[in-house]
Amino acid sequence: MEKDTKAFQRIYTKLFQLTKATVSLKATGIGNEELAIVDGRLAQVVKIIDDMVTLQVFAGTEGIATDAEVIFAGKAPTLKVGEDLAGRFFNAYGEPIDGGEIMGEEREIGGPSVNPVRRKQPSELIATGIAGIDLNNTLVTGQKIPFFADPDQPFNQVMAMVALRAKADKIILGGVGLSNDDYLYFKQVFDNAGALDRIVGFINTTENPPVERLLVPDMALTAAEYFAVEKNEKVLVLLTDLTLYADALSIVSNRMDQIPSKDSMPGSLYSDLARLYEKAVQFPDGGSITIIAVTTLSGGDITHAIPDNTGYITEGQLFLRKDSDIGKVIVDPFRSLSRLKQLVIGKKTRQDHPQVMNAAVRLYADAANAKTKLENGFDLSDYDERSLEFAKAYSEKLLAIDVNIDVDTMLETAYQLFESYFTPAEVGIRQEFVDKYWKKTEN
Amino acid sequence: MSTIGKVTGIIANLVIVETEGRTAQNEICFIKHGDTRLMAEVIKIFGKKIYVQVFESTRGLKVGQEVEFVGHMLEVTLGPGILSKNFDGLQNDLNKMDGVFLKRGEYTEALDADRKFEFKPLASKGDKVVAGSWLGEVKENWMPHKIMVPFKFEGEYTVKSVIGEGEYLINEPIAVITDTEGKDIEVTMVQKWPVKVPIKAYTEKPRPFKILETGIRVMDTLNPIAEGGTGFIPGPFGSGKTVLQHNLSKNAEADLVIVAACGERANEVVEIFTEFPELDDPRTGRKLMERTTIIANTSNMPVAAREASVYTAMTIAEYYRAMGLKVLLLADSTSRWAQALREMSNRMEELPGPDGFPMDLPAIISNFYSRAGYVYLPNGESGSITFIGTVSPAGGNLKEPVTEATKKAARCFYALSQNRADSKRYPAIDPIDSYSKYLEYPEITEYLNKKVSPNWTKNVFEAKDILLRGKETYEQINILGDDGVPLDYHLKYWKSELIDFAILQQDAFDKVDASSSLDRQNFMLEITLEICHKEFQFDSFEEVGPYFKKIINQLKQMNYSIYESDEFVKNRKLLETYLKEREVKQEEQLA
Ligand SMILES: Nc1ncnc2c1ncn2[C@@H]1O[C@H](COP(=O)(O)OP(=O)(O)O)[C@@H](O)[C@H]1O
Ligand SMILES: [Mg+2]
């Protein structure tokens, strides 16, 4: 890392080209990804061809004149890390927005990746009390998983709830285009729970320039790495909303005349998002980074490039949907998935957990088929009727996000539902589990 | 004299270098950045301007920095000790790297220079040899690892001497061979080979004629892959590509398995190197890790090295094939490699093909798949590389360039269906859309009928037919309603469900069900078809579902029991009882 000594700062005052997000100028001795101040605004080098340097100006270029002052910092963006971060809120540049300076060691953000062989396989269950998560899509420390939700779903509330119930040493909130109301909501919820001293916030609200958002996840993850690696802490990172992050990426790549790929997103979207999400890790020494993010959808469309690329990167997704039959928001068992659940279910939880969970979802799928029949005006069979009743009860007692019970109770509840509506053969789980847990004497 | 150049441009990991000297396409170069040297590969030459893709982050790189060209392409090191290793895409040994984080510009030896191997000579003085000829053998884990005449050697040589039995280091000379001009050349256990060039140390590449047992019913029974064959698994995210590949790497009856984790999740690699050292290889009783090599270029590792990673993996596979071994090569996901090509082509402002992918993508993919195959070696032995790649189609839509190009190159198509995954019908391979071209090879069907049972292929096609008819009737039932169709439709549908549940579905996480021998597959297919052949009579369609569910449940209980165990037999008997009960009932009704 180069030292940033004021004496070597290079100052230029002749801009060659300006777009909405970038400026270009002639300069020499500049490093790729180096920071600069353009007319008082933070910028970063994104391209160098001979002596022509292109900078991305995070706050946008409105009003910047061709003779604006450009000062190169000689280093990539950094964050000061240390215990001081705890309980504080920062802007996208890592500057405190709640008062005085903080002390700490300066770290480049967006640093190198963890050597895969230095990782440990995640194995610690995160209990949230929400059966749609713990029973069907169990979370594990070191996992990376987003909520997929339409903008009108209460994803921030659910996320705050999950964060507080998870036993994390630190919760790092990366607000990416967060509405000011939601920002205040998070602050208040954490405050009420007496958790503020465990929180670190990096906040870019809708009132801030969109390109600035690109710095927030890296800031949050650099702080997370500090606590997880140096302090061996269990860190939970909340990133909301990464759809707005991807939108900001597309603004920049668009301004740089890159050929857009699907849905006007840059061709590198997969790599760009993977770079963030892959910071989730379980270290052998106990430290971990778990990432829970939000990807807002438009009209529930998960084939759009942003959720699509996200789904290919993350270890599952939690799909929030309003179930009109019960009038509540549920964690949709079809579109949701936790890829790490098999590391803990049936191992850290009861042995029958995987089979019970799969059987319930399969029966719920039967109900969906019955529903289609009904909608097409056909008579329902006795089995159809029973599966529909089951689905409603399942939704109410287990899928709804207001459920708050432990995993054993979730399993008990599932058996109660099975017993009420089905025979063991219809449920189709291993006989030994039926013998052990199925209460009724029939069959 | 190596060529020296200077950096003149940086766009993400594309760097433009200017030089007066000689360079070559795909040549490797190193950019000097402070104390580190960053590896890069030439991807385009335009006059004095050389476009290179850097296998590392380019943060801090400056115009004017010195670049040294090394005079050769990206090469891998081939020799004993590759097995059980975790390499990155450039064959650096990840376990040899210090620290928690990957350091830019840190490159390691691929093999262990200080590890001794027990050597046994195979060739003797006076033998005529060519590239790929076996000079000796060492034990690598339990595998007989052949020490060969380096693939780069052209023409014929005569063996002058081979060292006697004993323990040697990999870099010690183990033989001297003489070329036609009388020049003596020392051979060690190690050689290098450029990854983008196929190793052709074989005499013939016949059409595959055997199948590779995978233990996965929906593959082996319905759409088997040939030993030396190619296949691909496209599917939307979460449909089970990786689980299927991991299951293949655990259960397929290959001598060794090479897993290229290409641009996917690091935790999935961790899963392999955490679990495989503990898991037994059911055929040898050794640990699975002993036959496995991982090439990891996960999604957060440098993008340019993704492309290298699949070639590195293929070259290692070719090396072992030349020893007469049966290699299974898996790549997850080839789409990430295609995307890496797209990112580069975009930065170079090349004219894009469909969806922004480079125009020559189909050619690149087909060249790669063509490196797999069954081969006869010069000494009459045979070896094979069976290659199965996954494809991650954008939006799950199979009409996209990578899927379409791969479909042309691979002979087996295992389409994962979102619907099946949603309803937890794993593995979610669509039984109707998927195919194995090998079932059209007479040599394969003959082989199967001989190996499994004389009725085998007949049964397989019948099962496929029942599945297809089941799907059709299901659609009819959905249009016309349960009571709007003849009762027979319900029977047809439920017979297809029987096959679906008993044969197609398989729990990858159940220790018994995870893998099924061909014998067992044959047994299950026979009894399932037997049930399908029965004349069932029901009074109303309402009775059909519940009865079949009972039967299905019994077949599933059998799948969960160890083959031919007491439990298995007990479940089988119960199944017979249920079937008998029905028969008695039907006779009573007739009477
Ligand atoms: N054969 C299977 N048996 C049971 N569960 C499976 C199976 N295949 C996939 N799954 C489930 O689906 C999830 C996603 O599978 P994965 O292979 O990671 O998907 P992909 O690689 O296609 O994105 C797994 O974590 C697992 O929960
Ligand atoms: Mg996968």
Side-chain angles (χ1 to χ4, degrees):
Chain A
M1 208 166 60
E2 283 183 28
K3 286 266 158 1
D4 110 275
T5 32
K6 287 261 185 285
F8 287 109
Q9 276 185 349
R10 287 140 304 179
I11 303 178
Y12 297 84
T13 51
K14 194 168 183 324
L15 295 183
F16 182 78
Q17 195 188 347
L18 283 133
T19 71
K20 273 191 187 162
T22 63
V23 300
S24 302
L25 68 153
K26 285 196 174 211
T28 52
I30 306 302
N32 191 29
E33 296 181 21
E34 180 173 335
L35 274 190
I37 308 286
V38 178
D39 201 19
R41 304 174 207 185
L42 204 67
Q44 187 174 17
V45 174
V46 288
K47 181 173 170 177
I48 309 173
I49 300 288
D50 298 317
D51 57 357
M52 186 61 68
V53 177
T54 304
L55 292 147
Q56 158 184 315
V57 184
F58 292 107
T61 55
E62 285 91 346
I64 294 183
T66 48
D67 62 352
E69 190 180 65
V70 180
I71 309 168
F72 286 94
K75 61 174 189 190
T78 57
L79 172 72
K80 277 192 189 145
V81 295
E83 284 293 355
D84 271 11
L85 288 171
R88 304 291 303 270
F89 284 83
F90 303 84
N91 65 13
Y93 306 116
E95 298 159 353
I97 49 176
D98 55 357
E101 279 302 306
I102 67 151
M103 303 295 286
E105 186 196 326
E106 197 168 357
R107 289 271 163 89
E108 277 193 14
I109 65 166
S113 339
V114 172
N115 182 342
V117 302
R118 302 282 174 257
R119 287 172 178 256
K120 188 178 164 249
Q121 187 169 38
S123 63
E124 203 175 314
L125 186 149
I126 301 178
T128 71
I130 302 171
I133 298 177
D134 297 2
L135 180 66
N136 289 350
N137 302 289
T138 325
L139 302 183
V140 186
T141 56
Q143 185 164 9
K144 45 189 178 288
I145 192 164
F147 281 99
F148 279 2
D150 279 332
D152 60 341
Q153 298 299 335
F155 47 82
N156 282 335
Q157 284 80 335
V158 181
M159 196 151 91
M161 200 151 78
V162 168
L164 287 173
R165 289 187 196 160
K167 296 192 176 65
D169 297 320
K170 289 282 178 313
I171 299 170
I172 302 190
L173 174 65
V176 182
L178 204 59
S179 77
N180 199 49
D181 294 359
D182 281 347
Y183 166 46
L184 297 175
Y185 166 80
F186 272 112
K187 260 187 122 161
Q188 188 207 335
V189 178
F190 292 148
D191 196 8
N192 288 349
L196 265 188
D197 56 334
R198 292 193 285 135
I199 310 286
V200 187
F202 295 89
I203 308 296
N204 158 281
T205 67
T206 41
E207 291 160 22
N208 306 124
V211 178
E212 244 177 53
R213 285 170 202 163
L214 293 177
L215 292 167
V216 170
D218 280 321
M219 288 285 170
L221 291 164
T222 304
E225 269 177 352
Y226 166 76
F227 288 111
V229 176
E230 248 122 294
K231 306 286 164 190
N232 293 337
E233 290 190 345
K234 277 189 250 172
V235 185
L236 178 63
V237 179
L238 311 176
L239 299 173
T240 172
D241 163 4
L242 288 188
T243 295
L244 300 178
Y245 177 84
D247 286 341
L249 282 175
S250 77
I251 295 176
V252 175
S253 77
N254 204 307
R255 302 285 179 252
M256 290 179 64
D257 294 328
Q258 280 170 9
I259 306 157
S261 69
K262 199 168 167 274
D263 298 319
S264 319
M265 283 293 137
S268 59
L269 181 64
Y270 176 85
S271 306
D272 294 334
L273 290 175
R275 201 178 53 77
L276 304 178
Y277 278 117
E278 278 294 331
K279 291 276 180 193
V281 58
Q282 175 70 55
F283 291 111
D285 293 339
S288 66
I289 299 175
T290 308
I291 302 179
I292 300 184
V294 169
T295 302
T296 47
L297 310 175
S298 100
D301 179 15
I302 60 159
T303 63
H304 182 281
I306 301 172
D308 186 48
N309 278 285
T310 304
Y312 276 118
I313 295 162
T314 54
E315 281 146 351
Q317 66 279 338
L318 299 167
F319 197 100
L320 295 184
R321 167 171 80 78
K322 179 138 184 187
D323 183 344
S324 47
D325 287 345
I326 61 161
K328 284 182 185 172
V329 175
I330 61 164
V331 182
D332 188 323
F334 294 152
R335 294 350 276 283
S336 305
L337 169 72
S338 161
R339 291 161 186 272
L340 299 191
K341 64 175 180 291
Q342 49 260 24
L343 298 175
V344 292
I345 63 173
K347 295 173 184 158
K348 302 274 158 110
T349 64
R350 238 165 61 181
Q351 210 192 349
D352 56 330
H353 184 162
Q355 290 221 346
V356 170
M357 168 238 140
N358 274 325
V361 177
R362 222 167 19 230
L363 296 166
Y364 192 69
D366 288 346
N369 288 339
K371 212 167 185 176
T372 316
K373 268 194 201 171
L374 197 62
E375 281 159 7
N376 294 343
F378 295 128
D379 290 345
L380 295 183
S381 68
D382 162 57
Y383 179 79
D384 291 334
E385 302 276 7
R386 285 186 285 129
S387 61
L388 280 177
E389 279 170 46
F390 162 79
K392 204 166 158 199
Y394 178 54
S395 206
E396 178 82 45
K397 294 222 164 77
L398 288 171
L399 299 179
I401 52 164
D402 60 0
V403 172
N404 185 9
I405 48 182
D406 64 26
V407 177
D408 278 351
T409 315
M410 292 171 195
L411 291 169
E412 295 298 326
T413 310
Y415 279 100
Q416 280 161 19
L417 296 176
F418 291 162
E419 288 158 16
S420 312
Y421 302 103
F422 301 112
T423 64
E426 284 168 335
V427 174
I429 50 175
R430 255 176 190 267
Q431 193 57 43
E432 57 169 299
F433 298 144
V434 174
D435 295 342
K436 198 159 167 192
Y437 299 111
W438 196 284
K439 299 275 163 26
K440 272 201 226 158
T441 41
E442 66 155 276
N443 278 63
Chain B
M1 250 319 286
S2 57
T3 298
I4 301 291
K6 284 217 172 334
V7 172
T8 66
I10 306 147
I11 313 159
N13 70 332
L14 175 70
V15 166
I16 306 163
V17 181
E18 231 169 71
T19 179
E20 301 285 340
R22 171 194 179 279
T23 56
Q25 181 71 346
N26 297 111
E27 184 174 349
I28 293 296
C29 61
F30 287 91
I31 302 168
K32 271 198 198 158
H33 178 66
D35 301 336
T36 56
R37 294 163 78 236
L38 308 183
M39 193 169 171
E41 179 187 17
V42 175
I43 50 173
K44 182 167 114 177
I45 302 176
F46 196 82
K48 282 189 285 186
K49 277 195 177 10
I50 318 297
Y51 292 74
V52 305
Q53 59 175 347
V54 186
F55 295 129
E56 304 273 5
S57 155
T58 54
R59 179 178 279 184
L61 239 58
K62 290 178 179 169
V63 161
Q65 282 175 325
E66 192 179 281
V67 182
E68 187 185 344
F69 292 82
V70 299
H72 62 76
M73 295 196 274
L74 178 65
E75 290 182 332
V76 288
T77 306
L78 301 170
I82 289 176
L83 289 183
S84 320
K85 279 215 186 291
N86 304 308
F87 292 121
D88 74 2
L90 307 172
Q91 213 201 5
N92 293 297
D93 184 346
L94 288 166
N95 290 83
K96 285 195 191 120
M97 297 184 164
D98 300 330
V100 169
F101 294 98
L102 293 168
K103 276 190 222 64
R104 181 158 74 149
E106 185 182 359
Y107 307 108
T108 77
E109 284 298 323
L111 302 179
D112 305 331
D114 53 357
R115 178 167 162 197
K116 285 197 166 172
F117 285 89
E118 186 71 47
F119 178 86
K120 214 171 64 192
L122 291 178
S124 22
K125 184 173 159 66
D127 285 357
K128 298 281 182 226
V129 291
V130 294
S133 294
W134 302 349
L135 297 171
E137 182 179 299
V138 299
K139 277 262 166 298
E140 179 180 16
N141 301 341
W142 57 272
M143 206 83 64
H145 183 121
K146 305 289 186 293
I147 306 302
M148 296 173 270
V149 175
F151 302 126
K152 281 183 184 170
F153 284 25
E154 283 166 26
E156 202 179 58
Y157 299 80
T158 312
V159 176
K160 185 170 180 193
S161 65
V162 182
I163 211 162
E165 247 177 80
E167 289 208 327
Y168 305 101
L169 295 168
I170 55 170
N171 291 312
E172 284 181 75
I174 51 96
V176 178
I177 58 177
T178 315
D179 69 11
T180 43
E181 269 138 46
K183 206 175 113 213
D184 288 347
I185 304 154
E186 277 186 347
V187 176
T188 67
M189 295 192 212
V190 185
Q191 56 171 316
K192 297 210 172 203
W193 186 261
V195 295
K196 296 228 168 126
V197 182
I199 296 174
K200 292 229 162 115
Y202 52 80
T203 50
E204 200 195 333
K205 207 179 202 178
R207 216 158 89 132
F209 56 91
K210 297 190 218 175
I211 79 150
L212 184 84
E213 251 187 270
T214 66
I216 297 164
R217 290 189 290 268
V218 58
M219 292 179 77
D220 292 353
T221 298
L222 233 53
N223 290 306
I225 187 154
E227 183 193 335
T230 51
F232 80 117
I233 309 169
F237 62 81
S239 57
K241 298 180 292 297
T242 306
V243 170
L244 186 57
Q245 279 214 340
H246 282 196
N247 216 20
L248 282 167
S249 64
K250 286 177 194 161
N251 296 309
E253 46 112 32
D255 293 325
L256 61 127
V257 180
I258 297 167
V259 181
C262 174
E264 295 277 315
R265 306 175 184 87
N267 274 338
E268 294 173 345
V269 179
V270 177
E271 187 177 326
I272 299 180
F273 66 66
T274 310
E275 292 179 1
F276 278 32
E278 306 296 324
L279 291 174
D280 291 328
D281 176 349
R283 294 165 318 115
T284 59
R286 308 288 301 233
K287 294 297 173 209
L288 272 181
M289 198 61 207
E290 293 188 48
R291 69 162 194 179
T292 311
T293 300
I294 302 172
I295 316 291
N297 180 267
T298 56
S299 59
N300 55 339
M301 288 161 85
V303 176
R306 263 189 225 163
E307 191 203 356
S309 71
V310 291
Y311 286 99
T312 297
M314 180 58 91
T315 310
I316 291 174
E318 286 172 332
Y319 173 61
Y320 281 98
R321 174 173 67 183
M323 298 175 200
L325 294 171
K326 201 195 272 190
V327 185
L328 175 63
L329 176 63
L330 300 168
D332 186 13
S333 145
T334 59
S335 293
R336 305 297 162 224
W337 156 38
Q339 284 179 339
L341 294 174
R342 174 170 71 184
E343 282 183 32
M344 257 320 138
S345 141
N346 271 330
R347 283 187 195 120
M348 292 199 299
E349 294 172 6
E350 287 176 351
L351 201 62
D355 285 3
F357 285 105
M359 288 289 205
D360 56 349
L361 183 74
I364 295 172
I365 289 176
S366 119
N367 277 338
F368 188 80
Y369 273 80
S370 72
R371 287 173 71 169
Y374 191 97
V375 301
Y376 289 115
L377 305 173
N379 61 5
E381 303 273 343
S382 60
S384 65
I385 298 174
T386 310
F387 174 55
I388 303 178
T390 66
V391 169
S392 320
N397 177 3
L398 299 190
K399 291 218 165 354
E400 57 89 45
V402 186
T403 313
E404 287 184 334
T406 311
K407 210 166 177 180
K408 285 180 199 136
R411 309 244 82 195
C412 291
F413 174 60
Y414 300 108
L416 297 187
S417 126
Q418 181 76 61
N419 268 336
R420 290 186 69 85
D422 284 349
S423 48
K424 313 272 177 220
R425 292 182 180 225
Y426 292 120
I429 297 178
D430 187 303
I432 313 284
D433 294 346
S434 306
Y435 59 76
S436 161
K437 291 271 181 214
Y438 299 112
L439 274 183
E440 293 165 16
Y441 292 17
E443 54 270 51
I444 294 271
T445 51
E446 267 165 43
Y447 172 87
L448 280 166
N449 289 341
K450 219 159 112 193
K451 186 177 165 85
V452 195
S453 112
N455 292 328
W456 177 255
T457 45
K458 187 180 118 291
N459 287 346
V460 168
F461 286 111
E462 188 187 347
K464 279 175 178 261
D465 193 49
I466 294 173
L467 287 165
L468 183 62
R469 279 188 292 157
K471 191 185 168 191
E472 287 163 1
T473 43
Y474 183 67
E475 281 161 8
Q476 290 291 312
I477 295 172
N478 272 344
I479 298 170
L480 300 169
D482 282 332
D483 45 8
V485 296
L487 201 122
D488 185 44
Y489 278 43
H490 290 274
L491 281 172
K492 278 200 179 124
Y493 166 65
W494 277 102
K495 284 176 179 174
S496 74
E497 285 287 276
L498 197 69
I499 295 180
D500 195 329
F501 277 90
I503 310 285
L504 307 189
Q505 294 176 40
Q506 192 172 3
D507 188 347
F509 301 111
D510 184 272
K511 52 190 183 311
V512 177
D513 199 24
S515 173
S516 179
S517 68
L518 269 184
D519 247 10
R520 182 177 181 149
Q521 294 187 35
N522 182 43
F523 180 81
M524 290 306 286
L525 184 62
E526 291 266 354
I527 64 167
T528 310
L529 286 177
E530 219 175 279
I531 302 172
C532 291
H533 291 157
K534 284 193 193 304
E535 290 286 336
F536 287 104
Q537 265 130 32
F538 289 94
D539 289 337
S540 97
F541 72 85
E542 297 250 21
E543 289 175 15
V544 184
Y547 178 72
F548 270 87
K549 274 188 197 149
K550 210 155 111 181
I551 301 292
I552 286 171
N553 183 43
Q554 217 38 55
L555 287 162
K556 277 174 68 178
Q557 300 300 339
M558 287 172 72
N559 280 339
Y560 286 134
S561 329
I562 294 172
Y563 189 40
E564 289 173 335
S565 65
D566 291 350
E567 200 195 344
F568 186 85
V569 174
K570 197 187 91 197
N571 282 317
R572 162 99 214 261
K573 289 230 173 82
L574 210 50
L575 174 72
E576 292 301 328
T577 317
Y578 293 155
L579 291 167
K580 199 92 225 149
E581 273 172 15
R582 186 71 224 166
E583 267 172 37
V584 173
K585 201 165 171 188
Q586 283 180 190
E587 272 163 28
E588 278 170 8
Q589 277 167 347
L590 271 180

